[in-house]
mmCIF file of all heavy atoms in Angstrom:
data_model
loop_
_atom_site.group_PDB
_atom_site.id
_atom_site.type_symbol
_atom_site.label_atom_id
_atom_site.label_comp_id
_atom_site.label_asym_id
_atom_site.label_seq_id
_atom_site.Cartn_x
_atom_site.Cartn_y
_atom_site.Cartn_z
ATOM 1 N N LYS F 1 53.692 6.036 -101.925
ATOM 2 C CA LYS F 1 54.379 5.580 -100.719
ATOM 3 C C LYS F 1 55.726 4.957 -101.093
ATOM 4 O O LYS F 1 55.873 4.263 -102.084
ATOM 5 C CB LYS F 1 53.536 4.531 -100.006
ATOM 6 C CG LYS F 1 52.229 5.072 -99.424
ATOM 7 C CD LYS F 1 51.517 3.979 -98.709
ATOM 8 C CE LYS F 1 50.223 4.492 -98.081
ATOM 9 N NZ LYS F 1 49.495 3.450 -97.380
ATOM 10 N N LYS F 2 56.652 5.315 -100.299
ATOM 11 C CA LYS F 2 57.985 4.711 -100.528
ATOM 12 C C LYS F 2 57.933 3.200 -100.243
ATOM 13 O O LYS F 2 57.333 2.767 -99.293
ATOM 14 C CB LYS F 2 59.010 5.377 -99.629
ATOM 15 C CG LYS F 2 59.278 6.827 -100.010
ATOM 16 C CD LYS F 2 60.363 7.381 -99.135
ATOM 17 C CE LYS F 2 60.688 8.833 -99.505
ATOM 18 N NZ LYS F 2 61.725 9.400 -98.646
ATOM 19 N N ARG F 3 58.532 2.491 -101.205
ATOM 20 C CA ARG F 3 58.600 1.033 -100.979
ATOM 21 C C ARG F 3 59.390 0.757 -99.712
ATOM 22 O O ARG F 3 60.462 1.312 -99.501
ATOM 23 C CB ARG F 3 59.263 0.345 -102.157
ATOM 24 C CG ARG F 3 59.266 -1.150 -101.988
ATOM 25 C CD ARG F 3 60.101 -1.811 -103.060
ATOM 26 N NE ARG F 3 59.658 -1.398 -104.383
ATOM 27 C CZ ARG F 3 60.295 -1.756 -105.493
ATOM 28 N NH1 ARG F 3 61.379 -2.504 -105.411
ATOM 29 N NH2 ARG F 3 59.848 -1.340 -106.667
ATOM 30 N N GLU F 4 58.718 -0.042 -98.941
ATOM 31 C CA GLU F 4 59.417 -0.378 -97.707
ATOM 32 C C GLU F 4 60.636 -1.231 -98.029
ATOM 33 O O GLU F 4 60.570 -2.202 -98.758
ATOM 34 C CB GLU F 4 58.480 -1.159 -96.778
ATOM 35 C CG GLU F 4 57.299 -0.326 -96.297
ATOM 36 C CD GLU F 4 56.435 -1.114 -95.381
ATOM 37 O OE1 GLU F 4 56.777 -2.335 -95.171
ATOM 38 O OE2 GLU F 4 55.451 -0.593 -94.867
ATOM 39 N N GLU F 5 61.746 -0.763 -97.540
ATOM 40 C CA GLU F 5 63.014 -1.495 -97.787
ATOM 41 C C GLU F 5 63.007 -2.820 -97.007
ATOM 42 O O GLU F 5 62.676 -2.846 -95.827
ATOM 43 C CB GLU F 5 64.204 -0.657 -97.341
ATOM 44 C CG GLU F 5 64.362 0.602 -98.177
ATOM 45 C CD GLU F 5 65.566 1.384 -97.717
ATOM 46 O OE1 GLU F 5 66.225 0.894 -96.758
ATOM 47 O OE2 GLU F 5 65.860 2.418 -98.322
ATOM 48 N N SER F 6 63.327 -3.901 -97.743
ATOM 49 C CA SER F 6 63.370 -5.237 -97.100
ATOM 50 C C SER F 6 64.586 -5.358 -96.211
ATOM 51 O O SER F 6 65.617 -4.711 -96.439
ATOM 52 C CB SER F 6 63.384 -6.341 -98.158
ATOM 53 O OG SER F 6 64.537 -6.208 -98.974
ATOM 54 N N ALA F 7 64.433 -6.194 -95.215
ATOM 55 C CA ALA F 7 65.552 -6.410 -94.273
ATOM 56 C C ALA F 7 66.696 -7.111 -94.979
ATOM 57 O O ALA F 7 66.499 -7.932 -95.877
ATOM 58 C CB ALA F 7 65.068 -7.243 -93.103
ATOM 59 N N PRO F 8 67.925 -6.798 -94.657
ATOM 60 C CA PRO F 8 69.102 -7.439 -95.306
ATOM 61 C C PRO F 8 69.129 -8.947 -95.054
ATOM 62 O O PRO F 8 68.761 -9.410 -93.969
ATOM 63 C CB PRO F 8 70.274 -6.729 -94.646
ATOM 64 C CG PRO F 8 69.754 -6.222 -93.343
ATOM 65 C CD PRO F 8 68.324 -5.871 -93.592
ATOM 66 N N ASP F 9 69.594 -9.730 -96.099
ATOM 67 C CA ASP F 9 69.672 -11.198 -96.001
ATOM 68 C C ASP F 9 70.934 -11.580 -95.248
ATOM 69 O O ASP F 9 72.044 -11.390 -95.760
ATOM 70 C CB ASP F 9 69.676 -11.811 -97.411
ATOM 71 C CG ASP F 9 69.580 -13.322 -97.358
ATOM 72 O OD1 ASP F 9 69.415 -13.893 -96.252
ATOM 73 O OD2 ASP F 9 69.686 -13.954 -98.443
ATOM 74 N N THR F 10 70.732 -12.063 -94.057
ATOM 75 C CA THR F 10 71.908 -12.415 -93.223
ATOM 76 C C THR F 10 72.219 -13.906 -93.227
ATOM 77 O O THR F 10 73.111 -14.354 -92.515
ATOM 78 C CB THR F 10 71.657 -11.979 -91.761
ATOM 79 O OG1 THR F 10 70.472 -12.637 -91.296
ATOM 80 C CG2 THR F 10 71.493 -10.474 -91.683
ATOM 81 N N GLY F 11 71.511 -14.778 -94.002
ATOM 82 C CA GLY F 11 71.746 -16.236 -93.996
ATOM 83 C C GLY F 11 72.476 -16.744 -95.216
ATOM 84 O O GLY F 11 72.481 -17.951 -95.471
ATOM 85 N N GLY F 12 73.100 -15.861 -95.997
ATOM 86 C CA GLY F 12 73.784 -16.315 -97.208
ATOM 87 C C GLY F 12 75.005 -17.175 -96.939
ATOM 88 O O GLY F 12 75.414 -17.992 -97.771
ATOM 89 N N TRP F 13 75.630 -17.022 -95.786
ATOM 90 C CA TRP F 13 76.847 -17.813 -95.474
ATOM 91 C C TRP F 13 76.562 -19.293 -95.302
ATOM 92 O O TRP F 13 77.449 -20.128 -95.438
ATOM 93 C CB TRP F 13 77.507 -17.295 -94.188
ATOM 94 C CG TRP F 13 76.594 -17.411 -92.986
ATOM 95 C CD1 TRP F 13 75.661 -16.531 -92.573
ATOM 96 C CD2 TRP F 13 76.550 -18.515 -92.100
ATOM 97 N NE1 TRP F 13 75.007 -16.962 -91.460
ATOM 98 C CE2 TRP F 13 75.555 -18.228 -91.152
ATOM 99 C CE3 TRP F 13 77.253 -19.722 -92.007
ATOM 100 C CZ2 TRP F 13 75.241 -19.097 -90.120
ATOM 101 C CZ3 TRP F 13 76.938 -20.560 -90.976
ATOM 102 C CH2 TRP F 13 75.938 -20.262 -90.032
ATOM 103 N N ILE F 14 75.267 -19.586 -95.024
ATOM 104 C CA ILE F 14 74.931 -20.996 -94.804
ATOM 105 C C ILE F 14 75.180 -21.820 -96.065
ATOM 106 O O ILE F 14 75.671 -22.960 -96.020
ATOM 107 C CB ILE F 14 73.472 -21.123 -94.349
ATOM 108 C CG1 ILE F 14 73.280 -20.431 -92.991
ATOM 109 C CG2 ILE F 14 73.048 -22.587 -94.263
ATOM 110 C CD1 ILE F 14 71.864 -20.464 -92.492
ATOM 111 N N ASN F 15 74.858 -21.272 -97.201
ATOM 112 C CA ASN F 15 75.072 -21.991 -98.469
ATOM 113 C C ASN F 15 76.557 -22.286 -98.686
ATOM 114 O O ASN F 15 76.951 -23.384 -99.095
ATOM 115 C CB ASN F 15 74.513 -21.177 -99.623
ATOM 116 C CG ASN F 15 72.995 -21.027 -99.535
ATOM 117 O OD1 ASN F 15 72.307 -21.911 -99.011
ATOM 118 N ND2 ASN F 15 72.454 -19.916 -100.028
ATOM 119 N N THR F 16 77.364 -21.257 -98.421
ATOM 120 C CA THR F 16 78.819 -21.461 -98.594
ATOM 121 C C THR F 16 79.343 -22.522 -97.643
ATOM 122 O O THR F 16 80.148 -23.396 -98.014
ATOM 123 C CB THR F 16 79.562 -20.132 -98.356
ATOM 124 O OG1 THR F 16 79.054 -19.157 -99.247
ATOM 125 C CG2 THR F 16 81.043 -20.311 -98.594
ATOM 126 N N PHE F 17 78.866 -22.477 -96.394
ATOM 127 C CA PHE F 17 79.321 -23.447 -95.392
ATOM 128 C C PHE F 17 78.861 -24.868 -95.766
ATOM 129 O O PHE F 17 79.611 -25.850 -95.605
ATOM 130 C CB PHE F 17 78.757 -23.053 -94.021
ATOM 131 C CG PHE F 17 79.192 -23.963 -92.910
ATOM 132 C CD1 PHE F 17 80.491 -23.870 -92.383
ATOM 133 C CD2 PHE F 17 78.327 -24.923 -92.412
ATOM 134 C CE1 PHE F 17 80.886 -24.718 -91.375
ATOM 135 C CE2 PHE F 17 78.733 -25.764 -91.393
ATOM 136 C CZ PHE F 17 80.016 -25.662 -90.866
ATOM 137 N N ALA F 18 77.619 -24.953 -96.258
ATOM 138 C CA ALA F 18 77.110 -26.260 -96.669
ATOM 139 C C ALA F 18 77.933 -26.840 -97.818
ATOM 140 O O ALA F 18 78.233 -28.041 -97.850
ATOM 141 C CB ALA F 18 75.639 -26.132 -97.057
ATOM 142 N N ASP F 19 78.285 -25.943 -98.786
ATOM 143 C CA ASP F 19 79.139 -26.412 -99.884
ATOM 144 C C ASP F 19 80.479 -26.911 -99.366
ATOM 145 O O ASP F 19 81.026 -27.923 -99.833
ATOM 146 C CB ASP F 19 79.340 -25.291 -100.898
ATOM 147 C CG ASP F 19 78.048 -24.935 -101.630
ATOM 148 O OD1 ASP F 19 77.133 -25.822 -101.644
ATOM 149 O OD2 ASP F 19 77.959 -23.826 -102.180
ATOM 150 N N LEU F 20 81.053 -26.177 -98.410
ATOM 151 C CA LEU F 20 82.343 -26.572 -97.841
ATOM 152 C C LEU F 20 82.239 -27.917 -97.144
ATOM 153 O O LEU F 20 83.119 -28.793 -97.279
ATOM 154 C CB LEU F 20 82.827 -25.500 -96.858
ATOM 155 C CG LEU F 20 84.157 -25.795 -96.150
ATOM 156 C CD1 LEU F 20 85.279 -25.946 -97.169
ATOM 157 C CD2 LEU F 20 84.482 -24.669 -95.167
ATOM 158 N N MET F 21 81.154 -28.150 -96.397
ATOM 159 C CA MET F 21 80.985 -29.420 -95.707
ATOM 160 C C MET F 21 80.843 -30.577 -96.698
ATOM 161 O O MET F 21 81.343 -31.680 -96.491
ATOM 162 C CB MET F 21 79.746 -29.357 -94.793
ATOM 163 C CG MET F 21 79.888 -28.437 -93.574
ATOM 164 S SD MET F 21 81.229 -28.933 -92.467
ATOM 165 C CE MET F 21 82.491 -27.724 -92.974
ATOM 166 N N ASN F 22 80.092 -30.294 -97.802
ATOM 167 C CA ASN F 22 79.954 -31.324 -98.825
ATOM 168 C C ASN F 22 81.295 -31.697 -99.430
ATOM 169 O O ASN F 22 81.603 -32.877 -99.670
ATOM 170 C CB ASN F 22 78.989 -30.879 -99.916
ATOM 171 C CG ASN F 22 77.539 -30.860 -99.425
ATOM 172 O OD1 ASN F 22 77.188 -31.624 -98.521
ATOM 173 N ND2 ASN F 22 76.712 -30.002 -100.020
ATOM 174 N N LEU F 23 82.109 -30.655 -99.689
ATOM 175 C CA LEU F 23 83.443 -30.917 -100.249
ATOM 176 C C LEU F 23 84.301 -31.717 -99.284
ATOM 177 O O LEU F 23 85.018 -32.655 -99.674
ATOM 178 C CB LEU F 23 84.122 -29.595 -100.607
ATOM 179 C CG LEU F 23 83.516 -28.836 -101.792
ATOM 180 C CD1 LEU F 23 84.191 -27.472 -101.960
ATOM 181 C CD2 LEU F 23 83.656 -29.648 -103.081
ATOM 182 N N LEU F 24 84.249 -31.327 -97.992
ATOM 183 C CA LEU F 24 85.037 -32.071 -96.997
ATOM 184 C C LEU F 24 84.555 -33.519 -96.882
ATOM 185 O O LEU F 24 85.362 -34.460 -96.739
ATOM 186 C CB LEU F 24 84.948 -31.377 -95.637
ATOM 187 C CG LEU F 24 85.701 -30.059 -95.506
ATOM 188 C CD1 LEU F 24 85.419 -29.410 -94.152
ATOM 189 C CD2 LEU F 24 87.199 -30.285 -95.676
ATOM 190 N N LEU F 25 83.218 -33.701 -96.923
ATOM 191 C CA LEU F 25 82.682 -35.055 -96.843
ATOM 192 C C LEU F 25 83.155 -35.904 -98.014
ATOM 193 O O LEU F 25 83.580 -37.061 -97.848
ATOM 194 C CB LEU F 25 81.154 -34.995 -96.817
ATOM 195 C CG LEU F 25 80.438 -36.360 -96.799
ATOM 196 C CD1 LEU F 25 80.820 -37.143 -95.552
ATOM 197 C CD2 LEU F 25 78.917 -36.150 -96.865
ATOM 198 N N CYS F 26 83.092 -35.297 -99.227
ATOM 199 C CA CYS F 26 83.567 -36.024 -100.411
ATOM 200 C C CYS F 26 85.059 -36.348 -100.294
ATOM 201 O O CYS F 26 85.517 -37.438 -100.679
ATOM 202 C CB CYS F 26 83.296 -35.208 -101.679
ATOM 203 S SG CYS F 26 81.544 -35.017 -102.070
ATOM 204 N N PHE F 27 85.812 -35.416 -99.739
ATOM 205 C CA PHE F 27 87.254 -35.610 -99.598
ATOM 206 C C PHE F 27 87.561 -36.784 -98.662
ATOM 207 O O PHE F 27 88.380 -37.660 -98.977
ATOM 208 C CB PHE F 27 87.893 -34.323 -99.092
ATOM 209 C CG PHE F 27 89.363 -34.447 -98.821
ATOM 210 C CD1 PHE F 27 90.270 -34.543 -99.881
ATOM 211 C CD2 PHE F 27 89.844 -34.483 -97.529
ATOM 212 C CE1 PHE F 27 91.620 -34.659 -99.621
ATOM 213 C CE2 PHE F 27 91.191 -34.604 -97.275
ATOM 214 C CZ PHE F 27 92.100 -34.687 -98.320
ATOM 215 N N PHE F 28 86.862 -36.833 -97.514
ATOM 216 C CA PHE F 28 87.126 -37.910 -96.568
ATOM 217 C C PHE F 28 86.599 -39.247 -97.076
ATOM 218 O O PHE F 28 87.166 -40.303 -96.801
ATOM 219 C CB PHE F 28 86.512 -37.576 -95.204
ATOM 220 C CG PHE F 28 87.317 -36.564 -94.423
ATOM 221 C CD1 PHE F 28 86.826 -35.285 -94.185
ATOM 222 C CD2 PHE F 28 88.586 -36.894 -93.953
ATOM 223 C CE1 PHE F 28 87.574 -34.360 -93.481
ATOM 224 C CE2 PHE F 28 89.333 -35.961 -93.239
ATOM 225 C CZ PHE F 28 88.838 -34.692 -93.004
ATOM 226 N N VAL F 29 85.459 -39.207 -97.793
ATOM 227 C CA VAL F 29 84.973 -40.446 -98.404
ATOM 228 C C VAL F 29 85.988 -40.979 -99.399
ATOM 229 O O VAL F 29 86.257 -42.197 -99.494
ATOM 230 C CB VAL F 29 83.606 -40.204 -99.079
ATOM 231 C CG1 VAL F 29 83.204 -41.411 -99.941
ATOM 232 C CG2 VAL F 29 82.529 -39.942 -98.024
#
């Protein structure tokens, strides 16, 4: 049986956004 292809990961941008928020928080602090 063909391996069922997994659904594409659509939440990867959250990590980048979280990093950006952390950087902005550090900057304002």
Side-chain angles (χ1 to χ4, degrees):
K1 293 182 178 180
K2 292 184 179 179
R3 184 188 306 175
E4 295 181 358
E5 294 181 0
S6 61
D9 187 5
T10 58
W13 61 274
I14 296 178
N15 295 330
T16 303
F17 182 76
D19 293 339
L20 178 60
M21 291 299 101
N22 289 332
L23 291 174
L24 288 175
L25 177 61
C26 293
F27 176 72
F28 283 112
V29 170

